[in-house]
Amino acid sequence: QVQLVESGGGLVQAGGSLRLSCAASGRALSTYSMGWFRQAPGKEREFAAATTWSGGRTAYADSVKGRFTMFRDSAKNTVYLQMNSLKPEDTAVYYCAADGSRWPPRGDYWGQGTQVTVSS
């Protein structure tokens, strides 16, 4: 069982930056891959970024590549999503996910989500 708690969402102007955090707890965390997903109003949840606790693998959706960076602090059991050059189309609820077996992760466990709103 893995518990995930996101934080760091908010309202930002286009071109601005936000950093999301996802604090993880549970057993054998190092065996999970971690991902960030997002869901905009009226749309399906989509993959944004992923990494492993070792940092050896990362993946990004084309829509965020070059603007978003996912990284982890293993000592704090926390993963982050640094979002730069934000666009109104990045507005969504962002979810952290942990996956025990798949790469890129699809999500065995989910956080509650944090709202990101980008104004034009």
Side-chain angles (χ1 to χ4, degrees), residues 30-47:
S30 63
T31 64
Y32 289 84
S33 61
M34 302 296 295
W36 284 99
F37 294 75
R38 63 186 186 180
Q39 187 167 19
K43 296 187 177 181
E44 293 187 354
R45 190 175 299 186
E46 65 177 11
F47 168 77

mmCIF file of all heavy atoms in Angstrom, residues 30-47:
data_model
loop_
_atom_site.group_PDB
_atom_site.id
_atom_site.type_symbol
_atom_site.label_atom_id
_atom_site.label_comp_id
_atom_site.label_asym_id
_atom_site.label_seq_id
_atom_site.Cartn_x
_atom_site.Cartn_y
_atom_site.Cartn_z
ATOM 1 N N SER A 30 10.925 2.231 -3.247
ATOM 2 C CA SER A 30 11.935 2.246 -4.303
ATOM 3 C C SER A 30 11.588 1.323 -5.458
ATOM 4 O O SER A 30 12.172 1.429 -6.539
ATOM 5 C CB SER A 30 13.302 1.869 -3.730
ATOM 6 O OG SER A 30 13.285 0.557 -3.219
ATOM 7 N N THR A 31 10.641 0.415 -5.250
ATOM 8 C CA THR A 31 10.263 -0.508 -6.316
ATOM 9 C C THR A 31 9.194 0.073 -7.238
ATOM 10 O O THR A 31 8.844 -0.551 -8.244
ATOM 11 C CB THR A 31 9.738 -1.824 -5.731
ATOM 12 O OG1 THR A 31 8.532 -1.569 -4.994
ATOM 13 C CG2 THR A 31 10.764 -2.464 -4.813
ATOM 14 N N TYR A 32 8.699 1.242 -6.907
ATOM 15 C CA TYR A 32 7.644 1.864 -7.705
ATOM 16 C C TYR A 32 8.215 2.911 -8.653
ATOM 17 O O TYR A 32 9.155 3.624 -8.298
ATOM 18 C CB TYR A 32 6.618 2.530 -6.797
ATOM 19 C CG TYR A 32 5.762 1.567 -6.032
ATOM 20 C CD1 TYR A 32 6.207 1.018 -4.838
ATOM 21 C CD2 TYR A 32 4.509 1.197 -6.502
ATOM 22 C CE1 TYR A 32 5.440 0.115 -4.136
ATOM 23 C CE2 TYR A 32 3.723 0.306 -5.795
ATOM 24 C CZ TYR A 32 4.194 -0.227 -4.623
ATOM 25 O OH TYR A 32 3.430 -1.126 -3.934
ATOM 26 N N SER A 33 7.634 3.012 -9.816
ATOM 27 C CA SER A 33 7.871 4.168 -10.658
ATOM 28 C C SER A 33 6.812 5.209 -10.320
ATOM 29 O O SER A 33 5.709 4.865 -9.884
ATOM 30 C CB SER A 33 7.813 3.794 -12.145
ATOM 31 O OG SER A 33 6.542 3.286 -12.492
ATOM 32 N N MET A 34 7.170 6.477 -10.492
ATOM 33 C CA MET A 34 6.305 7.570 -10.084
ATOM 34 C C MET A 34 5.945 8.437 -11.286
ATOM 35 O O MET A 34 6.791 8.678 -12.162
ATOM 36 C CB MET A 34 7.018 8.434 -9.040
ATOM 37 C CG MET A 34 7.441 7.682 -7.798
ATOM 38 S SD MET A 34 6.051 7.030 -6.862
ATOM 39 C CE MET A 34 5.253 8.562 -6.351
ATOM 40 N N GLY A 35 4.723 8.887 -11.312
ATOM 41 C CA GLY A 35 4.296 9.695 -12.432
ATOM 42 C C GLY A 35 3.419 10.860 -12.013
ATOM 43 O O GLY A 35 2.829 10.855 -10.928
ATOM 44 N N TRP A 36 3.369 11.835 -12.880
ATOM 45 C CA TRP A 36 2.406 12.937 -12.761
ATOM 46 C C TRP A 36 1.454 12.844 -13.948
ATOM 47 O O TRP A 36 1.896 12.685 -15.101
ATOM 48 C CB TRP A 36 3.107 14.287 -12.773
ATOM 49 C CG TRP A 36 3.787 14.632 -11.498
ATOM 50 C CD1 TRP A 36 5.118 14.493 -11.208
ATOM 51 C CD2 TRP A 36 3.177 15.182 -10.319
ATOM 52 N NE1 TRP A 36 5.369 14.925 -9.928
ATOM 53 C CE2 TRP A 36 4.202 15.352 -9.360
ATOM 54 C CE3 TRP A 36 1.883 15.563 -9.980
ATOM 55 C CZ2 TRP A 36 3.955 15.869 -8.083
ATOM 56 C CZ3 TRP A 36 1.644 16.075 -8.717
ATOM 57 C CH2 TRP A 36 2.673 16.222 -7.788
ATOM 58 N N PHE A 37 0.176 12.941 -13.643
ATOM 59 C CA PHE A 37 -0.874 12.941 -14.649
ATOM 60 C C PHE A 37 -1.703 14.199 -14.444
ATOM 61 O O PHE A 37 -1.660 14.826 -13.377
ATOM 62 C CB PHE A 37 -1.766 11.701 -14.499
ATOM 63 C CG PHE A 37 -1.063 10.417 -14.797
ATOM 64 C CD1 PHE A 37 -0.150 9.859 -13.910
ATOM 65 C CD2 PHE A 37 -1.305 9.737 -15.982
ATOM 66 C CE1 PHE A 37 0.505 8.670 -14.178
ATOM 67 C CE2 PHE A 37 -0.661 8.541 -16.266
ATOM 68 C CZ PHE A 37 0.244 8.011 -15.366
ATOM 69 N N ARG A 38 -2.480 14.566 -15.447
ATOM 70 C CA ARG A 38 -3.332 15.732 -15.292
ATOM 71 C C ARG A 38 -4.650 15.512 -16.018
ATOM 72 O O ARG A 38 -4.720 14.759 -16.992
ATOM 73 C CB ARG A 38 -2.634 16.982 -15.824
ATOM 74 C CG ARG A 38 -2.315 16.971 -17.306
ATOM 75 C CD ARG A 38 -1.495 18.195 -17.670
ATOM 76 N NE ARG A 38 -1.285 18.313 -19.106
ATOM 77 C CZ ARG A 38 -0.601 19.286 -19.686
ATOM 78 N NH1 ARG A 38 -0.047 20.243 -18.936
ATOM 79 N NH2 ARG A 38 -0.469 19.309 -20.995
ATOM 80 N N GLN A 39 -5.675 16.185 -15.501
ATOM 81 C CA GLN A 39 -7.001 16.075 -16.094
ATOM 82 C C GLN A 39 -7.622 17.457 -16.166
ATOM 83 O O GLN A 39 -7.884 18.086 -15.138
ATOM 84 C CB GLN A 39 -7.888 15.131 -15.288
ATOM 85 C CG GLN A 39 -9.222 14.853 -15.959
ATOM 86 C CD GLN A 39 -9.958 13.696 -15.318
ATOM 87 O OE1 GLN A 39 -9.683 13.294 -14.191
ATOM 88 N NE2 GLN A 39 -10.902 13.131 -16.048
ATOM 89 N N ALA A 40 -7.826 17.912 -17.381
ATOM 90 C CA ALA A 40 -8.467 19.199 -17.623
ATOM 91 C C ALA A 40 -9.980 18.999 -17.654
ATOM 92 O O ALA A 40 -10.462 17.891 -17.915
ATOM 93 C CB ALA A 40 -7.977 19.791 -18.941
ATOM 94 N N PRO A 41 -10.750 20.047 -17.420
ATOM 95 C CA PRO A 41 -12.217 19.923 -17.423
ATOM 96 C C PRO A 41 -12.715 19.367 -18.747
ATOM 97 O O PRO A 41 -12.330 19.835 -19.823
ATOM 98 C CB PRO A 41 -12.680 21.369 -17.219
ATOM 99 C CG PRO A 41 -11.558 22.033 -16.515
ATOM 100 C CD PRO A 41 -10.314 21.405 -17.042
ATOM 101 N N GLY A 42 -13.545 18.350 -18.662
ATOM 102 C CA GLY A 42 -14.138 17.762 -19.848
ATOM 103 C C GLY A 42 -13.223 16.857 -20.633
ATOM 104 O O GLY A 42 -13.594 16.381 -21.708
ATOM 105 N N LYS A 43 -12.028 16.616 -20.118
ATOM 106 C CA LYS A 43 -11.067 15.770 -20.834
ATOM 107 C C LYS A 43 -10.665 14.577 -19.982
ATOM 108 O O LYS A 43 -10.846 14.556 -18.773
ATOM 109 C CB LYS A 43 -9.834 16.579 -21.229
ATOM 110 C CG LYS A 43 -10.114 17.694 -22.218
ATOM 111 C CD LYS A 43 -8.830 18.342 -22.694
ATOM 112 C CE LYS A 43 -9.098 19.411 -23.732
ATOM 113 N NZ LYS A 43 -7.839 20.040 -24.224
ATOM 114 N N GLU A 44 -10.085 13.586 -20.637
ATOM 115 C CA GLU A 44 -9.604 12.415 -19.927
ATOM 116 C C GLU A 44 -8.266 12.731 -19.240
ATOM 117 O O GLU A 44 -7.527 13.622 -19.653
ATOM 118 C CB GLU A 44 -9.431 11.248 -20.899
ATOM 119 C CG GLU A 44 -10.722 10.739 -21.487
ATOM 120 C CD GLU A 44 -10.530 9.483 -22.306
ATOM 121 O OE1 GLU A 44 -9.375 9.074 -22.515
ATOM 122 O OE2 GLU A 44 -11.541 8.906 -22.738
ATOM 123 N N ARG A 45 -7.979 11.958 -18.220
ATOM 124 C CA ARG A 45 -6.698 12.087 -17.542
ATOM 125 C C ARG A 45 -5.580 11.700 -18.498
ATOM 126 O O ARG A 45 -5.692 10.702 -19.203
ATOM 127 C CB ARG A 45 -6.669 11.210 -16.296
ATOM 128 C CG ARG A 45 -5.484 11.437 -15.393
ATOM 129 C CD ARG A 45 -5.612 10.615 -14.119
ATOM 130 N NE ARG A 45 -6.806 10.973 -13.351
ATOM 131 C CZ ARG A 45 -7.075 10.477 -12.154
ATOM 132 N NH1 ARG A 45 -6.247 9.614 -11.586
ATOM 133 N NH2 ARG A 45 -8.173 10.831 -11.525
ATOM 134 N N GLU A 46 -4.500 12.482 -18.502
ATOM 135 C CA GLU A 46 -3.400 12.210 -19.407
ATOM 136 C C GLU A 46 -2.069 12.205 -18.668
ATOM 137 O O GLU A 46 -1.890 12.875 -17.668
ATOM 138 C CB GLU A 46 -3.348 13.249 -20.540
ATOM 139 C CG GLU A 46 -3.055 14.657 -20.093
ATOM 140 C CD GLU A 46 -2.930 15.637 -21.254
ATOM 141 O OE1 GLU A 46 -3.267 15.279 -22.399
ATOM 142 O OE2 GLU A 46 -2.482 16.770 -21.012
ATOM 143 N N PHE A 47 -1.150 11.451 -19.207
ATOM 144 C CA PHE A 47 0.198 11.362 -18.659
ATOM 145 C C PHE A 47 0.951 12.657 -18.912
ATOM 146 O O PHE A 47 0.832 13.270 -19.980
ATOM 147 C CB PHE A 47 0.925 10.204 -19.338
ATOM 148 C CG PHE A 47 2.397 10.167 -19.088
ATOM 149 C CD1 PHE A 47 2.903 9.700 -17.883
ATOM 150 C CD2 PHE A 47 3.288 10.587 -20.065
ATOM 151 C CE1 PHE A 47 4.264 9.668 -17.651
ATOM 152 C CE2 PHE A 47 4.647 10.551 -19.847
ATOM 153 C CZ PHE A 47 5.140 10.089 -18.631
#
